[in-house]
Amino acid sequence: MIKLIAFDLDETLFNDNHKIDSKNYEYIQKAKDLGVHMIPAFGRGPGFVGDLYNELNLKDDNCYSILANGATVVKNGSEDAITSHEVSKAYAKKLFDYGKEKNLCIHVYTDDGIFIYNLFDKEREFTDNYKENLIEVEEYDFSKIEDKKILKIIYCDFDTDYLKSLEKEVAQLTDYKIEISYSSNRYMELNKIGISKATGLIDLCKYLDIDIEDTIAIGDNFNDLKMIDKAGIGIAVRNALDEIKDVADYITQSNNNENAVAEVIEKFVLEEV
């Protein structure tokens, strides 16, 4: 019996206009009414979810989210952390300096906000949708974040092949002790080694005393892969990358513009009642 569904947001729950279609709202509520934990699992950090919890009727401390690619699991009402896995300051400084050297847009996810350096116009169009706790820093300055808990660092460039070409140098720079993943065709995401959305799923299942076999994970991109592989039922949406489909137990007939999350709830929850 499915007790928990973890779902990615961008290109999974959200349509291409970064909105949630009404059928997804309806079916998420139906699953909740049956006692299924509905868990947003995404790359954003604390304070960077806007009105999402209110929109999904998930804003209380009996509801949870997996944030910053599994670096932290929080209670949605208070955003109190259940678990937290930090990037060491030494590696964070190396990653910051490397991003500065390459003139990249850098997002630094901390426990009290997201600091963005070298924010260019094309990326600003996206971040303008998520103003809450977003701090733009005009000059590269690590001192703004050196005393904060750093959950994740992102390099942003709309040439994904270029980002991937940096992977070997980034790995060597950090002694192969940083977890590297990709998302949204423009982000290289950098977490503490061993941390992924799968970590967040495992942490939350332990906290809620749920068997991992009673879970579903839904996603589309590389930062979802380990979570999809670990869940009892791993699901790739129709628009997912081929590498994600290869590890999935099920591929939806619908894409992210066609209520793929609702399809999963109908097939694996409602039809089983």
Side-chain angles (χ1 to χ4, degrees):
M1 178 180 177
I2 298 302
K3 297 180 179 179
L4 184 154
I5 299 177
F7 51 91
D8 177 48
L9 296 188
D10 295 311
E11 292 88 44
T12 299
L13 178 69
F14 290 167
N15 62 30
D16 289 347
N17 295 318
H18 304 291
K19 304 296 183 183
I20 306 171
D21 293 321
S22 59
K23 188 173 180 181
N24 279 336
Y25 282 123
E26 177 187 353
Y27 278 68
I28 286 172
Q29 188 59 53
K30 286 182 177 181
K32 276 191 64 192
D33 291 344
L34 290 171
V36 179
H37 291 278
M38 298 303 297
I39 308 298
F42 51 113
R44 294 177 204 137
F48 199 40
V49 295
D51 293 327
L52 176 71
Y53 297 150
N54 287 326
E55 291 176 19
L56 294 176
N57 193 25
L58 295 176
K59 191 176 177 66
D60 64 61
D61 276 351
N62 292 315
C63 299
Y64 308 89
S65 290
I66 297 167
L67 301 180
N69 283 351
T72 187
V73 175
V74 302
K75 297 180 177 181
N76 290 354
S78 60
E79 288 203 334
D80 288 343
I82 295 170
T83 59
S84 186
H85 305 277
E86 299 174 54
V87 177
S88 76
K89 289 295 189 300
Y91 288 138
K93 181 65 165 60
K94 287 183 177 182
L95 291 169
F96 184 88
D97 289 345
Y98 181 81
K100 176 181 178 180
E101 175 190 332
K102 298 297 182 181
N103 198 36
L104 294 168
C105 173
I106 305 174
H107 301 213
V108 182
Y109 285 58
T110 75
D111 54 337
D112 64 351
I114 294 85
F115 293 77
I116 299 186
Y117 299 79
N118 193 25
L119 180 59
F120 47 83
D121 289 342
K122 194 173 180 180
E123 176 66 357
R124 189 185 303 278
E125 293 173 10
F126 179 76
T127 57
D128 276 350
N129 294 316
Y130 306 100
K131 283 292 190 183
E132 187 178 351
N133 285 357
L134 184 65
I135 302 104
E136 182 179 352
V137 185
E138 292 187 3
E139 296 183 1
Y140 292 108
D141 182 2
F142 189 77
S143 68
K144 301 284 186 182
I145 54 174
E146 62 185 350
D147 293 330
K148 299 185 182 299
K149 181 184 293 185
I150 297 175
L151 301 172
K152 184 179 74 168
I153 293 173
I154 283 179
Y155 295 151
C156 177
D157 191 285
F158 279 78
D159 184 347
T160 307
D161 289 337
Y162 173 65
L163 287 176
K164 289 181 178 179
S165 75
L166 304 178
E167 182 172 326
K168 184 176 180 180
E169 288 185 358
V170 170
Q172 291 174 336
L173 178 72
T174 55
D175 307 313
Y176 299 91
K177 292 182 180 178
I178 287 293
E179 196 76 25
I180 301 173
S181 62
Y182 298 88
S183 67
S184 297
N185 298 318
R186 64 182 178 279
Y187 296 139
M188 176 191 280
E189 308 213 15
L190 307 162
N191 285 85
K192 180 180 178 180
I193 191 68
I195 301 304
S196 68
K197 291 183 183 182
T199 311
L201 180 62
I202 293 166
D203 287 345
L204 184 55
C205 283
K206 288 179 179 178
Y207 182 80
L208 296 173
D209 194 24
I210 291 174
D211 192 315
I212 198 80
E213 291 302 313
D214 295 329
T215 68
I216 289 174
I218 315 169
D220 73 289
N221 216 309
F222 287 113
N223 64 338
D224 303 312
L225 189 149
K226 292 183 178 181
M227 178 177 72
I228 288 171
D229 191 42
K230 186 65 178 178
I233 302 173
I235 296 178
V237 293
R238 174 58 56 184
N239 52 288
L241 300 177
D242 288 341
E243 293 88 341
I244 310 307
K245 293 176 180 177
D246 287 344
V247 304
D249 300 303
Y250 177 78
I251 301 169
T252 63
Q253 299 301 306
S254 308
N255 63 31
N256 66 306
N257 293 310
E258 301 166 334
N259 299 293
V261 171
E263 176 188 329
V264 173
I265 294 169
E266 183 171 25
K267 179 175 179 61
F268 292 97
V269 177
L270 303 184
E271 289 182 5
E272 299 298 319
V273 175

